[in-house]
């Protein structure tokens, strides 16, 4: 499963061709397709996945708008049929070390609506995480992509153990790109 939230309209079909049939969320030729969730039964646990993106000013993307009036309702509807809803969000400002208060509030509202996990994707570097009510919010997991100028080359990896009825455990690990290889981060101050 791949989140395509934040993909430009012109690159959507080319990106899907590269995926070769792998399921995607968060983008589509129509609004219905962009907001369509994916539900998977994993070891008897039903997990639903959604992806949202902040709409750029030029409006040239094919993603599920995170500011859409029904974004939280989509989480509520999916939560009614799943043990867990996992929401991916591509939003915010590049270069931020802490999440903006308004995005922090929006991500928390996804948990209030029924999401178990909310995962912020770039454009920012890693900006931390918190347990909030019955869920987990990772504000930005960073990126390991080599073509992202100004990025630190570190990211977070999330290991989840999902149980029924919204129960889960997790472990967050720091990853780093060093010499073209990806591995556990050796910088001891970053994970702290």
């Amino acid at each position: 499963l791949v989140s395509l939230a934040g993909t430009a309209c012109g690159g959507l079909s080319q990106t899907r061709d590269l995926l070769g049939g792998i399921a995607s969320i968060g983008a589509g030729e129509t609004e219905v397709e962009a907001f369509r969730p994916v539900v998977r039964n994993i070891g008897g646990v039903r997990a639903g996945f959604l992806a949202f993106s902040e709409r750029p000013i030029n409006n040239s993307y094919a993603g599920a708008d995170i500011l859409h009036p029904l974004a939280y309702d989509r989480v509520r509807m999916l939560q009614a049929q799943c043990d867990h809803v996992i929401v991916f969000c591509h939003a915010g400002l590049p270069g931020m070390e802490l999440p903006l208060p308004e995005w922090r509030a929006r991500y928390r509202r996804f948990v209030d609506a029924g999401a178990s996990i909310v995962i912020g994707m770039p454009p920012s570097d890693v900006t931390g995480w918190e347990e909030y009510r019955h869920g987990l919010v990772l504000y930005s997991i960073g990126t390991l992509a080599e073509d992202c100028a100004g990025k630190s080359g570190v990211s977070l990896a999330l290991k989840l153990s999902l149980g029924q009825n919204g129960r889960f455990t997790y472990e967050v690990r720091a990853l780093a790109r060093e010499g073209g290889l990806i591995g556990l981060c050796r910088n001891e101050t970053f994970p702290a």
Side-chain angles (χ1 to χ4, degrees):
L1 179 64
V2 176
S3 169
L4 295 180
T7 303
C9 280
L12 182 60
S13 48
Q14 182 181 30
T15 302
R16 284 191 168 155
D17 289 345
L18 290 172
L19 291 175
I22 295 174
S24 63
I25 52 174
E29 302 297 330
T30 66
E31 185 176 273
V32 171
E33 188 179 346
F35 280 108
R36 183 175 296 129
V38 169
V39 177
R40 295 284 189 258
N41 189 329
I42 306 166
V45 176
R46 286 182 58 84
F49 301 89
L50 289 164
F52 298 98
S53 180
E54 183 177 16
R55 186 176 296 264
I57 293 170
N58 65 8
N59 211 12
S60 66
Y61 90 120
D65 187 2
I66 196 169
L67 300 177
H68 192 282
L70 299 176
Y72 301 111
D73 289 334
R74 294 180 191 284
V75 172
R76 284 183 197 94
M77 289 185 288
L78 190 56
Q79 194 273 333
Q81 50 185 305
C82 295
D83 293 298
H84 295 279
V85 174
I86 299 173
V87 176
F88 294 93
C89 300
H90 188 277
L93 297 173
M96 299 298 293
E97 292 182 12
L98 295 171
L100 294 172
E102 57 268 27
W103 286 111
R104 216 173 150 193
R106 286 184 180 117
Y107 287 12
R108 286 177 169 184
R109 273 184 268 179
F110 282 119
V111 173
D112 291 337
S116 296
I117 316 290
V118 179
I119 302 171
M121 311 289 277
S124 24
D125 268 332
V126 174
T127 56
W129 73 88
E130 70 174 326
E131 293 179 16
Y132 172 71
R133 297 194 179 181
H134 58 276
L136 176 67
V137 180
L138 292 98
Y139 291 103
S140 178
I141 60 171
T143 184
L144 294 171
E146 292 181 356
D147 63 347
C148 291
K151 300 293 185 224
S152 63
V154 294
S155 184
L156 298 178
L158 176 64
K159 178 182 177 183
L160 286 171
S161 294
L162 301 175
Q164 293 179 333
N165 300 319
R167 293 189 182 104
F168 67 91
T169 59
Y170 71 96
E171 181 181 350
V172 177
R173 294 302 230 19
L175 300 177
R177 183 186 68 241
E178 296 175 14
L181 300 174
I182 296 172
L184 293 176
C185 184
R186 290 185 234 171
N187 177 349
E188 293 179 17
T189 59
F190 173 72

